[in-house]
Amino acid sequence: MMVDPEGFGRRLGDVRDRIAAAAARAGRDTGEITLMAVTKTHGPEAVDLAAEAGLRHIGENRVQEAAKKQHGVKAEVFWELIGPVQSNKARLAAAHFDRVQTVERAKIVRALCRACEELGRPELPVLVQVNVSEDPRKAGVSVADAPALAEAVRAAEHLRLEGLMTIPALDDDPDVARRAFAGLRELRDRLSDRLGLPLPVLSMGMTGDLDAAVEEGSTLLRVGTALFGERESGFSA
Ligand SMILES: *Cc1c(COP(=O)(O)O)cnc(C)c1O
């Protein structure tokens, strides 16, 4: 699906206004919040358009789609995997992404670690994905099991734990997402103390809930629809 540059520019302005307003309400500095462009289902030109506008973090949820798209991208960007990693795609993921946000099981920790070894990649930054809302349809480790998984990542050679990511349960009540974001921040604070690691990255907030995410401490927003318009159906989170 082609993206139109004019529409993108206008939508980007609107998203930046939302971020600024939410940051002001929370007394936060917008400089500590990264807006990542989620380009899944869009072509390489969407990535170049985002990069040209200063959005250097690019989110993709399918390893193979991203690997293919990267050939057509001219800009230097930072590729982030925000979709599930199957063990048999771990090597492709470690080869094509700068960071993996979806570590949710010990098996993935081992698979990524092995992939780095095989590729001769000294270090792969990762986030642990937490299912704070305990939504059975959403991926992520439970809050209760997150400390053990975070320890496993920390102990894994080649993986660098930088923070946490969550996708809240879909709910008409906006407080559901807000509680999940606050929960992720509190978990980060506890894990950071326990592990003695800073864990600066909180990846939370999408098109529908980025305002609450900023107010609750997000440092990395994953935004697709609000930047590029509606995706064709069949491709959702
Ligand atoms: C698609 C996707 C997004 C972006 O969602 P929008 O609602 O289009 O902003 C964010 N996070 C993940 C994990 C996704 O898969």
Side-chain angles (χ1 to χ4, degrees), residues 38 40 61 82 165 167 206-208 222-226 231 236-237:
V38 176
K40 66 189 183 199
N61 70 333
I82 59 173
M165 179 271 215
I167 307 173
M206 321 190 341
T207 290
R222 310 181 306 265
V223 180
T225 308
R231 286 181 293 275
S236 65

Side-chain angles (χ1 to χ4, degrees), residues 5-75:
E6 232 170 82
F8 173 79
R10 181 170 28 80
R11 286 190 291 261
L12 175 58
D14 291 345
V15 171
R16 287 200 165 126
D17 288 346
R18 282 173 67 185
I19 296 170
R25 284 194 295 278
R28 298 187 63 202
D29 177 355
T30 53
E32 63 192 43
I33 303 158
T34 299
L35 173 59
M36 185 174 86
V38 176
T39 50
K40 66 189 183 199
T41 78
H42 301 292
E45 71 285 350
V47 178
D48 284 324
L49 196 59
E52 227 169 275
L55 308 184
R56 296 267 159 194
H57 288 250
I58 300 296
E60 286 280 337
N61 70 333
R62 291 175 191 212
V63 176
Q64 275 157 316
E65 178 186 337
K68 188 160 160 243
K69 194 173 299 181
Q70 287 172 355
H71 291 297
V73 172
K74 298 183 192 75

Side-chain angles (χ1 to χ4, degrees), residues 13-232:
D14 291 345
V15 171
R16 287 200 165 126
D17 288 346
R18 282 173 67 185
I19 296 170
R25 284 194 295 278
R28 298 187 63 202
D29 177 355
T30 53
E32 63 192 43
I33 303 158
T34 299
L35 173 59
M36 185 174 86
V38 176
T39 50
K40 66 189 183 199
T41 78
H42 301 292
E45 71 285 350
V47 178
D48 284 324
L49 196 59
E52 227 169 275
L55 308 184
R56 296 267 159 194
H57 288 250
I58 300 296
E60 286 280 337
N61 70 333
R62 291 175 191 212
V63 176
Q64 275 157 316
E65 178 186 337
K68 188 160 160 243
K69 194 173 299 181
Q70 287 172 355
H71 291 297
V73 172
K74 298 183 192 75
E76 258 312 303
V77 295
F78 188 86
W79 294 91
E80 305 226 28
L81 181 58
I82 59 173
V85 196
Q86 279 105 23
S87 311
N88 63 349
K89 302 252 171 62
R91 189 178 162 136
L92 199 62
H96 287 273
F97 285 89
D98 296 296
R99 181 160 60 194
V100 173
Q101 297 200 4
T102 47
V103 172
E104 51 149 2
R105 276 178 285 140
K107 193 175 172 194
I108 297 168
V109 174
R110 290 192 296 271
L112 287 174
C113 206
R114 200 173 329 114
C116 288
E117 209 125 272
E118 288 168 10
L119 293 163
R121 180 172 183 162
E123 196 168 64
L124 175 66
V126 302
L127 306 181
V128 164
Q129 181 174 359
V130 187
N131 189 357
V132 187
S133 308
E134 317 249 308
D135 178 347
R137 287 157 304 185
K138 292 279 186 267
V141 66
S142 67
V143 170
D145 292 339
L149 185 61
E151 294 271 13
V153 175
R154 201 250 306 255
E157 215 185 332
H158 307 302
L159 302 190
R160 186 172 75 224
L161 181 59
E162 297 189 327
L164 305 178
M165 179 271 215
T166 197
I167 307 173
L170 256 189
D171 201 297
D172 291 334
D173 176 1
D175 277 345
V176 170
R178 184 181 294 275
R179 277 199 300 275
F181 299 148
L184 194 72
R185 187 194 60 228
E186 287 158 15
L187 176 63
R188 187 276 310 272
D189 294 347
R190 288 200 302 278
L191 284 178
S192 179
D193 275 353
R194 180 179 167 146
L195 301 176
L197 278 179
L199 307 182
V201 181
L202 281 177
S203 172
M204 54 191 203
M206 321 190 341
T207 290
D209 53 25
L210 69 90
D211 320 83
V214 166
E215 290 177 25
E216 298 300 334
S218 173
T219 68
L220 186 59
L221 300 166
R222 310 181 306 265
V223 180
T225 308
L227 292 173
F228 300 109
E230 292 290 340
R231 286 181 293 275
E232 271 158 42

